[in-house]
Amino acid sequence: MQDSDFKVSQGKSASHAAAGKLALLGVLNVSLFLFHGCVNVDEEVAARPSELWRPPAEAQANAPKPDNPGIDAVNFVAGQDKYYTQGLAGYEKNPVASVGLPKLDLPALVDIALSNNPETRYTWLIARTRASEYGQSLSEYYPYVSVGASVAREKQKNVAVPGKTYSTAYGPSLNINWLLFNFGEREATANAARQALFASNFTYNQIYQDVVREVLIRYYDLWSAESNLEASKAFLLNTEATFDAADKKLKSGLGNKQDALRALANVKTAEAQIEGDIAAIEAARAKLATALGIEVSASLQIEQIEEFPEFDTLDADVNRLVAEALQNRPNLLSSYASVREQEFNLDAARADLFPELSAQVSMQYLELTGSNPSPYNDYVAALVLEWDIFQGFYKWYEIDKQRDRARAARQDARQVELEVLQQVWTAFFAYRSAIKQVDSTTSALDAQQQAYDAISIGYESGINNLLDLLTSQEDLDDARRNLISAKNSLGTSIADLARATGNLPRLTREQ
C-alpha cells in the first residue's frame, strides 16, 4: 500500500469515526432533550388543594437577601407622557375650580372622582388595550400583504473563458399570505379576546361603582364629622348654660363651689371636644380628597347634605336582591367572561394540534442590466398545508395549561359568587337595621331634649340637683351623636346595598 493510499484510507476512517461520534452525540442530545422536556405536572404543584406546596431551593433563590431590602419603587412621572401633557386624558389642572360652585355637592364630587381617580383611569386604559387585542385577533381573518424592493449586483467569471461579466437586477415584489382554515383555532382565539374585552369592561364598571361608593362613604363621613362638631357646639352651649346657672346659685348663696367647678370642668371638656372634632373634619376631608383623586386643600368646601338618597328596590326581599346581583354585579359578570375566555383558549389550544391551510401568492418583477439585459417576471400561487407534527410536547402542555386555567377561572367565579351573596345579605339587613336605628335615635333625641329642658328648669327652681342636670346634658349629647351615627350608617348601608346589587348609578346634578 502506498503512502497516499494509506492517507486516504486513514482519512476515510477518521471521517467515519467523526460521523459516528456526531450521530451518537445527536442521539444523546435528543434523548436528554426529551427527558428534560417531559415535566410531571403533579410533581410540580401541591398534591391536593388542601396541602401546602413545598418550594424547591431554586424557587426560594428569588427571595430577597438579608442585605437586599428589595426593589426600589418606580417613580412614574405622568408629565412625561404626551397623553397627559396634551390634555387627552381629560385631567383638569384645578378640578375643584372647574366645577364652578362655591361649595361642592355630591354630584359634583362624583364627577370629579370619576374624572381624576387613578383607579378608574387605570381600568379604562386596560380596557382599551383589551379592545386593541381583540382587533389584533380579528386580523387573522384577513390576508397578510407585504411589498418589497431589491437591488442586486452580480459578478460572474468563468475559469474556462477569460473575462468577467457584470449584471444588475432590481425591481419590486408582492407577497400575499391568507390563512384559509385551521380547525377553528382562529375563531376560538378571537372569541377569547372578545371575552377578555368583556371582562375588562365589566372590571371597569365595577371600579366605577366602587369609586362612587367610596365618594359617598367619605362624603357621609365628612358630613358626620361636621355634624359632630355642631353637636359639640350645642353641648358647649348647654355646659355654659349649666355653669352660668351654677355660678348664679353660688353667688346667691343657694349653691356650692363644688357644683360650679364641676360645671366649669364640663365646659372645658366641651371645648376640648370641639378641637377634636375639628381635627376629625380635616382627616375626613383628606380621605375624601383621596377618593376624588385630588390633593387636599382648604379650598375643598363641601355642601352639607339635606336628605339621604333612597334605594329604588327597598321593598324587595333579600332573595330578589340576590337574584338581581347575580345578573348585574359587574365583577361577577367579569368573572363569568373570564371563564368563557379560558374555555375558548382551551378550544384554540386543542385546534392547534391540527394542520393549517393557507393560500400564498407572490409576484416579482426584476429588470436585468448587463451583457444580457432582459426583464424577469415571477408569479407563484400555491395552497400550503402546514402541520407541526412534534414540538417537544409543547402543544400538549399548552392544552393542560389552558384546561387548568379554565378550571381555576370557574373556581374564581364561584368565589366571587359567594362574596356577592354575602355582601348583598349583609348590606340588606344592615340597611333594615339602619332605618330602625334612625327612627329610634330620632325619638330618643326628642325625648332627651324634653328631659333636659325639664331638668334644667327643675335645677333652677331647686327640684333637681346639679348631678341630674349634668347627667341629662350628657345624655342629650349622646343622643345627638347617636342620631348622627345612625344617619351615617343609613347612608353607608344604602351605598353598600346599591353596590352589592350592581345598581349604584352615577349621580349628576340633573338627577
Side-chain angles (χ1 to χ4, degrees):
M1 182 181 295
Q2 297 180 355
D3 292 342
S4 60
D5 294 335
F6 175 75
K7 292 180 180 179
V8 172
S9 176
Q10 189 179 33
K12 290 182 178 178
S13 300
S15 62
H16 286 308
K21 291 180 180 179
L22 289 175
L24 179 60
L25 289 175
V27 172
L28 291 175
N29 187 35
V30 171
S31 301
L32 290 173
F33 173 78
L34 293 177
F35 176 77
H36 180 74
C38 294
V39 176
N40 191 332
V41 176
D42 293 333
E43 294 180 357
E44 296 294 329
V45 298
R48 55 186 59 84
S50 59
E51 293 185 8
L52 285 174
W53 173 61
R54 304 297 180 183
E58 61 179 311
Q60 291 182 320
N62 297 323
K65 304 300 185 294
D67 57 347
N68 181 17
I71 302 175
D72 293 335
V74 178
N75 184 17
F76 174 73
V77 181
Q80 296 177 353
D81 192 341
K82 292 183 179 180
Y83 183 76
Y84 298 94
T85 57
Q86 295 178 359
L88 299 177
Y91 280 112
E92 293 285 350
K93 293 183 178 179
N94 191 344
V96 175
S98 65
V99 176
L101 296 175
K103 288 188 176 182
L104 301 177
D105 56 8
L106 187 54
L109 293 174
V110 172
D111 286 339
I112 292 175
L114 294 176
S115 299
N116 292 272
N117 190 288
E119 287 187 279
T120 58
R121 294 191 165 276
Y122 172 80
T123 51
W124 176 72
L125 291 171
I126 292 299
R128 287 175 57 88
T129 65
R130 295 294 179 266
S132 298
E133 290 172 356
Y134 175 57
Q136 287 178 327
S137 69
L138 296 179
S139 65
E140 293 288 336
Y141 286 93
Y142 299 92
Y144 288 0
V145 181
S146 62
V147 296
S150 62
V151 177
R153 180 69 171 170
E154 183 179 2
K155 171 186 175 182
Q156 292 181 340
K157 181 179 180 181
N158 192 332
V159 295
V161 179
K164 304 174 184 178
T165 60
Y166 295 90
S167 64
T168 303
Y170 59 91
S173 63
L174 171 67
N175 293 284
I176 301 176
N177 193 343
W178 195 352
L179 177 63
L180 301 179
F181 182 72
N182 63 349
F183 289 89
E185 180 184 357
R186 173 175 53 186
E187 180 181 3
T189 301
N191 288 334
R194 182 66 167 169
Q195 293 297 326
L197 174 58
F198 290 157
S200 186
N201 280 326
F202 280 129
T203 300
Y204 166 75
N205 288 346
Q206 185 62 64
I207 296 299
Y208 183 108
Q209 294 197 11
D210 290 346
V211 168
V212 175
R213 171 188 173 273
E214 185 70 12
V215 172
L216 289 172
I217 291 177
R218 296 309 175 191
Y219 178 71
Y220 296 145
D221 288 344
L222 180 58
W223 169 86
S224 179
E226 292 177 342
S227 298
N228 280 327
L229 176 60
E230 296 301 321
S232 296
K233 291 180 179 179
F235 179 62
L236 177 61
L237 292 177
N238 291 338
T239 58
E240 289 175 343
T242 300
F243 173 71
D244 290 340
D247 188 55
K248 288 181 181 178
K249 281 194 172 187
L250 176 63
K251 291 178 180 179
S252 64
L254 299 177
N256 57 69
K257 189 173 183 179
Q258 291 82 353
D259 288 349
L261 291 175
R262 290 186 63 183
L264 179 60
N266 274 16
V267 172
K268 298 304 178 182
T269 299
E271 291 176 350
Q273 190 167 283
I274 287 177
E275 295 302 321
D277 290 335
I278 293 175
I281 288 174
E282 296 310 316
R285 193 191 311 278
K287 291 180 179 179
L288 177 58
T290 300
L292 298 179
I294 63 176
E295 298 179 359
V296 62
S297 65
S299 61
L300 185 60
Q301 298 297 320
I302 311 300
E303 183 178 301
Q304 278 276 6
I305 189 173
E306 297 180 359
E307 294 182 0
F308 284 86
E310 296 182 357
F311 191 63
D312 295 337
T313 56
L314 295 179
D315 56 339
D317 59 17
V318 65
N319 292 325
R320 177 181 169 186
L321 294 178
V322 166
E324 189 174 339
L326 294 178
Q327 294 292 323
N328 298 325
R329 183 69 180 266
N331 65 328
L332 183 56
L333 296 177
S334 177
S335 66
Y336 291 154
S338 295
V339 171
R340 295 291 295 134
E341 175 193 357
Q342 298 306 327
E343 290 174 346
F344 282 123
N345 283 335
L346 178 58
D347 293 340
R350 287 169 174 165
D352 194 33
L353 291 174
F354 300 98
E356 292 183 350
L357 179 64
S358 60
Q360 295 181 358
V361 176
S362 64
M363 293 177 285
Q364 186 177 21
Y365 173 80
L366 289 178
E367 185 72 29
L368 300 177
T369 64
S371 59
N372 296 312
S374 64
Y376 173 79
N377 294 317
D378 184 20
Y379 303 95
V380 177
L383 286 177
V384 179
L385 182 67
E386 186 176 0
W387 195 355
D388 297 327
I389 300 299
F390 183 72
Q391 289 184 331
F393 305 109
Y394 177 86
K395 293 185 178 181
W396 293 102
Y397 283 122
E398 182 68 19
I399 292 176
D400 290 341
K401 180 181 72 174
Q402 297 302 336
R403 182 186 295 111
D404 288 335
R405 282 185 174 179
R407 292 169 177 169
R410 294 188 191 101
Q411 296 305 314
D412 181 70
R414 178 56 180 163
Q415 180 62 32
V416 176
E417 283 181 351
L418 295 175
E419 292 175 357
V420 168
L421 296 179
Q422 175 259 327
Q423 291 170 2
V424 172
W425 189 276
T426 302
F428 176 75
F429 288 101
Y431 168 77
R432 289 181 55 181
S433 175
I435 291 179
K436 296 179 180 179
Q437 290 179 29
V438 170
D439 293 339
S440 299
T441 52
T442 299
S443 300
L445 178 59
D446 292 339
Q448 289 294 345
Q449 184 65 57
Q450 295 177 18
Y452 173 77
D453 293 340
I455 293 176
S456 180
I457 295 174
Y459 176 72
E460 293 179 357
S461 62
I463 298 177
N464 298 99
N465 56 32
L466 181 64
L467 180 60
D468 295 334
L469 183 58
L470 294 178
T471 302
S472 179
Q473 73 181 15
E474 290 176 358
D475 292 341
L476 178 59
D477 182 62
D478 290 339
R480 291 194 187 101
R481 297 181 185 276
N482 288 338
L483 179 58
I484 294 170
S485 178
K487 287 185 176 181
N488 189 17
S489 297
L490 176 60
T492 300
S493 65
I494 291 174
D496 288 340
L497 186 55
R499 175 189 177 273
T501 56
N503 289 320
L504 193 56
R506 174 172 181 173
L507 303 177
T508 61
R509 282 185 285 273
E510 288 76 16
Q511 290 181 335

